[in-house]
Each structure stands twice: as structure tokens, then as C-alpha cells.
Amino acid sequence: MDKEKLTYIEETGLVFEQLGMTRMAGRVFGFLAVSDKEEASFDDIREGLNASKGSISGTAKQLKNAGLIEPVSLPGDRKTYYRISKMEVGNILRARLTLFKTFSDNLEKGLILREKNDEIAGWLREVSAFYSWVGDKISDVISTWETEKKNIIKEKNPHEKIRHT
Amino acid sequence: MDKEKLTYIEETGLVFEQLGMTRMAGRVFGFLAVSDKEEASFDDIREGLNASKGSISGTAKQLKNAGLIEPVSLPGDRKTYYRISKMEVGNILRARLTLFKTFSDNLEKGLILREKNDEIAGWLREVSAFYSWVGDKISDVISTWETEKKNIIKEKNPHEKIRHT
DNA sequence: TCATTAGTTCATTTTAGATTGAACTTAATG
DNA sequence: CATTAAGTTCAATCTAAAATGAACTAATGA
């Protein structure tokens, strides 16, 4: 695999770290994204990333649970292959929205314990309301994407040439 | 400080950890949220949380940079006090939206390096478009909150009693 | 000016989490 | 039924980030 791709894979590792996943998860995803094969075997990945079997095993499970990759098995071949999953993209983000609710609930609990009903309490109430509200709104936005995505993508690139492959 | 509050403070630490900040940042925020004083001194916090000066110093800086708390100084008192900041809540979330752009850009870069223009490539293009689009939409949602929050809160609790303090 | 107090800095220690690697399980094949 | 190959599991190791605590700086005021 060429140097540019390897650099990209490492960058993807750092991006995934920012997103709260492990660096290795980003590497595996990045590897599959730029791999010249449709899907890569467990061992292709392990070799390509110079990692241990244990690490690949755990990371593959992590990415599978997150819905980002999926295993593929082929008849007459005992190996497991992996490829990037075509799972609905909105669901990946939706799963993260629980954090908004968690934060909002945490603030509510704090407000009950707080003795003073002062300016700060008012502000905390507002922050809690915001996160609760914005979580719902983002969920709506995701739904809009799901029903309208074809039109949205068209609007974004109205003059895009049709690709002949 | 009573046991319930201490439990709450620890919980808040865990919530903040989920949000990508440190546990101690959550503790400090939680402490200020349930403190019976309007603002707490550096040393109130340090004692309340049984932490070192160094830790409080670093954490206070972190929370100040994030816009979650603000220092207060009083005339004739050399101590620094902290209280929860009334910064616009939308900005805290907006700061996180750069991640969406980062992820979208990362995917675009991967698409350039990818040799096959297959189904997976199409999907990656869609994921990238989604994160770019949804980031903008969330920004719009935040703007809506900022201009409409009074109405939004009213709609949520239409029969709320007016509080006489 | 000197003593005291408040907070910062940073080298060291601690802790949590990621990675390894060897032993193990499972399943296919001769 | 033994052999081999593919993955998984988990205890040990490694790494990076967080917390400590002692030395330091800055600022007040006796």
C-alpha cells in the first residue's frame, strides 16, 4: 500500500480518536476506505496495519457494533472478510444523541439538589432545556435527510456531471 | 456537603467524561451547580473535591476556555472565585460542529485515494455529504434557539406557574 | 522591605485504556 | 479423527493522559 494511503490511514485514526473511538478503529475504517479490494480479509487488515490479531479482533467487533463495517463470508473460504457497511448513516449520529439527553437529565438532577433559585439556576434550566430541545431537533433533521436525501444531494451539486464507469 | 450532592458531583464527572472532557472538569462544574453559595473560591472547590491545587488550577482553566465557568474577583479580596458562566449555550455546541466538517473532509480525502468507484465509494460520498449537510443544519437549529428561545421554552411549559422568589 | 497568601507550573506518579501475544476454541479438510 | 487454519480471549505490557505535590511567581499588606 502506497505512502499516501498509509498517511491517510493514520489521519483517519486521529479523526476517530476525536470522535471518541479508538485510533485503531479509525485505522481499520480508513484502510477499508482506501483499499483497492472491495473487501479485505482479517489478515489483510492485520498485515496492512502491522497490528496483532487480538487488536484487529477487538477493533472489528467495535466497528461492527457501531454499524460502520460488516463481515462478509464467502462459500468455500473459511476466512472472514470485512467491508464498510451501508447502514443508514443517520442512525450512527442518532445513537450519539442520547448524550444530549444524559446531559440534560444530569442538569435537571443538579437543579433539584441546588438550594438557591438564582440567576445561575435559571441559566442551568435554560441549558438543560436547550440540550433536550436541540436533541429532538437534530433527530428531526436526520429524519429529513432520510426522506429527502436524493433532493438534498441534487441541490448541493446541481450541475454535477454524470459519471460513466 | 451532603452525600446526595457528592454522589451527584461524581455522576457529573462521568457525564463530562462521556462528553470528552475530564472527569475533574465535570466534578468542578457539578460542584458549582449544587453549591449553596453563588460562587465558590478556588480553595472551596479544592477542599470540596479533595483535589490538589494543581488539578483545580488546570481544570479551572479548561472550563474557563470551554466557556462553562468564569472567574469572579471581589474588591479587597485576593482570592479568585468561580461561578457557572452564562455564556450563550449554543456556542458551546457550535464549537463541536467542526468535528462534523473534519470527518466529512477526511472522507473526501479517502475518496480521492480510493481506486474503485463502486457501491462503497457511493456510500462514503453519501456519508460525507450527510455530515457536511447536517453540521450546517444543526448550526441553523442553534440559531433558531438563539432568536426564539423564549417562545420555545414557553411552548414546552405552557402552564408553568410563575415563581415568586 | 519582608512575610504571607493565592494560584501556577511542571516533573513525577498514578490510573485507565489500548495493544500485544500466547493459549485456547471452533470449524473445516485430508 | 487428527491436523491445520482462523479468530477469540484474556493476562501482561505498554502508552498516554490525568492528578499530585513541591517549588515557584505574583501580588498584597504589615
Side-chain angles (χ1 to χ4, degrees), chain A residues 20-68:
Chain A
M21 305 194 75
T22 64
R23 194 175 291 189
M24 191 60 83
R27 288 199 189 103
V28 170
F29 188 87
F31 180 88
L32 292 174
V34 299
S35 166
D36 57 347
K37 292 169 192 162
E38 289 268 342
E39 57 262 314
S41 76
F42 186 97
D43 216 53
D44 289 342
I45 300 170
R46 196 196 55 68
E47 270 183 31
L49 302 181
N50 242 303
S52 67
K53 289 208 285 178
S55 179
I56 299 300
S57 176
T59 301
K61 190 178 284 180
Q62 194 190 345
L63 284 168
K64 208 176 59 177
N65 289 338
L68 291 172

